[in-house]
Amino acid sequence: GAVVSQHPSWVICKSGTSVKIECRSLDFQATTMFWYRQFPKQSLMLMATSNEGSKATYEQGVEKDKFLINHASLTLSTLTVTSAHPEDSSFYICSAMGQYQETQYFGPGTRLLVL
Amino acid sequence: AQKITQTQPGMFVQEKEAVTLDCTYDTSDPSYGLFWYKQPSSGEMIFLIYQGSYDQQNATEGRYSLNFQKARKSANLVISASQLGDSAMYFCAMREGQGNFNKFYFGSGTKLNVKP
């Protein structure tokens, strides 16, 4: 149990385009979802926390107009990188947590390369 | 102050031996959770083990055990009988808050290399 999927796993796009990443909890209801960014050989950096039906809470320094997060249902959250630029290239990981779960469960991640 | 500190950027261990990965934490909350995750080169984060702040016993999951020393604020991971597949990055994490107001803090990670 506790499986989280994330799509796409890889995306290459041109500068200026928008990219949407989906995160789904497959076998549990995720009351909370987290979005992280990870640079090579570094730790995870929390970008935002979203609770189903509520607006996402963004960490300091993360542009909410740049990284749009929607948590429309108990099994789906999306992250849209708007007008992507090369500096947005990174590994993006989502995680999901159910109401009575102790830990978050991670998706496999999405590698974004902006040319 | 850092919430989670992992002081070992890299560790080597011989196959079949035990290894301890260090982690210290900082919190003033009475209720918190401590976690270890494994990240192989594929990038996926794999949950290994959990310890609640009120748990009296050290958590164990197969070859993984968490050496919880509350007074010292340490939560070291012990891997017994290391295997080649254990080579990966290991992250210590702490959860503060409850319900819909959870927040996780991660350490900088330790890269473990298991030698044959």
Side-chain angles (χ1 to χ4, degrees):
Chain A
V3 179
V4 177
S5 71
Q6 193 173 336
H7 293 283
S9 55
W10 267 101
V11 58
I12 302 173
C13 68
K14 291 182 179 180
S15 187
T17 60
S18 293
V19 175
K20 180 184 278 190
I21 302 169
E22 288 191 352
C23 179
R24 292 181 186 272
S25 57
L26 299 185
D27 53 2
F28 67 99
Q29 293 187 325
T31 50
T32 306
M33 285 187 166
F34 303 90
W35 286 95
Y36 295 89
R37 184 174 180 176
Q38 187 180 32
F39 291 104
K41 299 187 179 182
Q42 293 189 22
S43 188
L44 279 70
M45 182 190 80
L46 179 65
M47 298 175 67
T49 303
S50 73
N51 294 302
E52 186 263 340
S54 304
K55 288 185 178 180
T57 301
Y58 289 81
E59 294 299 301
Q60 194 172 5
V62 178
E63 299 174 58
K64 57 183 68 176
D65 295 330
K66 173 79 170 173
F67 299 100
L68 300 178
I69 291 171
N70 184 284
H71 190 167
S73 77
L74 283 172
T75 58
L76 174 65
S77 177
T78 60
L79 166 67
T80 302
V81 184
T82 62
S83 186
H85 288 95
E87 58 266 28
D88 299 323
S89 299
S90 191
F91 187 52
Y92 293 88
I93 313 176
C94 74
S95 69
M97 192 167 175
Q99 186 176 4
Y100 301 110
Q101 290 174 330
E102 294 291 357
T103 187
Q104 57 187 325
Y105 293 92
F106 286 88
T110 297
R111 296 191 188 278
L112 170 64
L113 177 61
V114 184
L115 302 176
Chain B
Q2 292 273 12
K3 287 281 189 180
I4 295 285
T5 302
Q6 292 181 255
T7 57
Q8 306 154 314
M11 290 279 286
F12 285 90
V13 65
Q14 202 69 38
E15 192 179 8
K16 299 180 185 177
E17 292 186 350
V19 63
T20 298
L21 306 185
D22 295 341
C23 173
T24 57
Y25 61 92
D26 182 29
T27 183
S28 56
D29 283 3
S31 177
Y32 52 91
L34 297 161
F35 306 82
W36 279 91
Y37 298 91
K38 173 184 178 181
Q39 188 179 41
S41 56
S42 62
E44 185 172 3
M45 293 285 285
I46 301 167
F47 165 67
L48 296 179
I49 196 166
Y50 161 75
Q51 179 87 41
S53 58
Y54 294 119
D55 293 343
Q56 298 290 323
Q57 306 260 10
N58 286 342
T60 60
E61 287 288 346
R63 294 186 299 111
Y64 304 108
S65 60
L66 197 152
N67 185 358
F68 180 43
Q69 297 190 41
K70 198 168 183 177
R72 292 186 178 184
K73 293 190 174 178
S74 75
N76 298 341
L77 176 70
V78 180
I79 305 175
S80 63
S82 297
Q83 301 172 356
L84 295 178
D86 294 335
S87 294
M89 281 291 288
Y90 288 80
F91 291 98
C92 178
M94 176 176 67
R95 185 198 71 226
E96 288 183 333
Q98 295 181 17
N100 286 349
F101 301 98
N102 286 295
K103 189 166 181 178
F104 286 80
Y105 300 90
F106 284 82
S108 54
T110 296
K111 185 167 176 58
L112 178 66
N113 285 292
V114 181
K115 294 178 166 182

